[in-house]
Amino acid sequence: MNRNWREVIQDYTELTKPRIIVLLLITTAGAMWIASEGQVDGFLMFITVLGGAIAAASANAINCLYDRDIDAKMERTSWRPIPSGRIQPLNALIFAIALAAISFTLLAVYANLLAACLAMSGIATYVGVYTIWLKRSSTQNIVIGGAAGAIPPLVGWAAVTGELSWAAWVLFAIIFVWTPPHFWALALMIRDEYAKVGVPMLPVVKGDAVTANQILLYTLLIIPVSLLLVFPCNVMGVVYAVSAVGLGIAFIYKAMQLLKEPSDRNVARSVFKYSILYLALLCVAMGIDSLPLAHISSQQAIALLQIPSSI
């Protein structure tokens, strides 16, 4: 009741889970950079990233609103603005709806209708499929519901091109495959808290060893899926390919370490932290590869390696 305006702003900012949003925006920017071949319009980039951030903030606010009962029981989330009483549920709902409306308007007016609709579909998927339907009912909640986190690259691609090519869907697939090992590593770290509130995360229902196996399975898929941008899509070249393989091998190594010690929370934390670094560096590699001076396509690389028959 006696909070100043800075504290109120901080509470509403916390409601949006800003740390999660940053990672999503990196994938949006990466997709825009690739779609424009490194020549993206600065204003369009700003508007699309801003609109995507506001859409993600809306989805996260609704997630906090719906999960306020279990958040209040978990040590990690009990400090959040709604369970702690700093923001009333109705105010949170109004805030989330306003954010969604602002996001749609920005993207529809300054980007295009497809990008705006995709952003809204991301909100609907995260709230409807993951938060309401699957989170409390299925061990596959993060696998299926994780599609929401894979939509930002589609928004970025659509903002630049006005359509969705196969390359855009490969970007979607990369995030889709990356999400389970990223989130299950976190779930291993806080398994006891999920068990306390009855959320059927994979480690709670199937155990640490099964979860570690599943994490390794998805990390094994990451390299071949990420290389689809090189072939057959042919939108990325050698710099990206080498980076994708190197980063993917390191991810697999981390997952294999976890498989040996599935109950070690420090190892799980290491996998979780690396998963964030992996995605960030992969997007950086996309950006570098898109630069004209750095881009060497697979066909060009093969041609450079060919030895003239006259020698």
Side-chain angles (χ1 to χ4, degrees):
M1 295 294 293
N2 297 318
R3 292 176 301 154
N4 59 42
W5 63 272
R6 288 188 180 88
E7 292 173 328
V8 172
I9 291 175
Q10 182 178 357
D11 288 340
Y12 277 95
T13 301
E14 290 176 1
L15 192 65
T16 67
K17 303 179 185 178
R19 286 182 296 179
I20 296 176
I21 294 175
V22 171
L23 197 57
L24 298 177
L25 298 185
I26 291 174
T27 64
T28 303
M32 296 184 73
W33 196 262
I34 296 173
S36 64
E37 298 180 350
Q39 303 296 320
V40 64
D41 178 80
F43 178 73
L44 181 62
M45 171 77 82
F46 171 75
I47 287 295
T48 305
V49 169
L50 178 62
I54 295 173
S58 173
N60 288 336
I62 298 174
N63 173 265
C64 286
L65 174 63
Y66 188 83
D67 281 346
R68 63 188 184 277
D69 58 333
I70 59 176
D71 281 351
K73 300 175 184 177
M74 296 175 64
E75 181 180 349
R76 185 177 66 96
T77 57
S78 60
W79 58 268
R80 286 178 176 170
I82 299 177
S84 65
R86 303 196 309 274
I87 294 178
Q88 295 303 307
L90 179 60
N91 293 339
L93 178 61
I94 294 172
F95 176 64
I97 293 173
L99 289 176
I102 293 170
S103 172
F104 182 85
T105 302
L106 281 175
L107 292 171
V109 172
Y110 295 105
N112 53 59
L113 186 59
L114 177 58
C117 289
L118 285 167
M120 296 305 102
S121 72
I123 297 175
T125 303
Y126 186 66
V127 173
V129 177
Y130 172 68
T131 302
I132 296 177
W133 176 29
L134 292 174
K135 183 175 181 177
R136 307 190 191 201
S137 63
S138 172
T139 58
Q140 295 300 302
N141 45 23
I142 198 59
V143 177
I144 303 171
I151 289 177
L154 299 184
V155 174
W157 194 280
V160 172
T161 67
E163 61 182 11
L164 295 177
S165 67
W166 282 111
W169 288 109
V170 170
L171 289 169
F172 175 94
I174 291 172
I175 308 302
F176 186 82
V177 172
W178 167 88
T179 300
H182 166 71
F183 199 92
W184 280 334
L186 173 63
L188 283 170
M189 293 162 52
I190 57 173
R191 184 188 68 170
D192 294 341
E193 292 194 52
Y194 280 127
K196 179 181 177 181
V197 295
V199 175
M201 289 298 175
L202 190 63
V204 175
V205 178
K206 299 293 185 178
D208 296 346
V210 171
T211 304
N213 269 293
Q214 289 296 304
I215 287 174
L216 178 60
L217 174 62
Y218 278 92
T219 55
L220 289 172
L221 291 174
I222 282 180
I223 292 180
V225 171
S226 63
L227 290 178
L228 291 175
L229 289 176
V230 181
F231 182 83
C233 291
N234 199 35
V235 296
M236 289 282 96
V238 173
V239 172
Y240 168 81
V242 172
S243 301
V245 171
L247 292 169
I249 290 174
F251 207 164
I252 292 170
Y253 174 74
K254 290 282 187 181
M256 291 178 67
Q257 286 185 312
L258 181 61
L259 189 62
K260 294 177 182 178
E261 300 178 275
S263 298
D264 191 323
R265 282 173 168 77
N266 289 327
V267 178
R269 183 177 290 105
S270 177
V271 174
F272 175 73
K273 289 183 177 179
Y274 180 77
S275 68
I276 298 173
L277 180 64
Y278 167 86
L279 191 58
L281 292 180
L282 190 70
C283 289
V284 170
M286 292 176 189
I288 294 174
D289 193 282
S290 297
L291 297 173
L293 292 177
H295 183 77
I296 302 176
S297 68
S298 56
Q299 292 91 337
Q300 290 172 324
I302 292 172
L304 289 173
L305 292 172
Q306 287 180 338
I307 301 174
S309 57
S310 58
I311 296 178

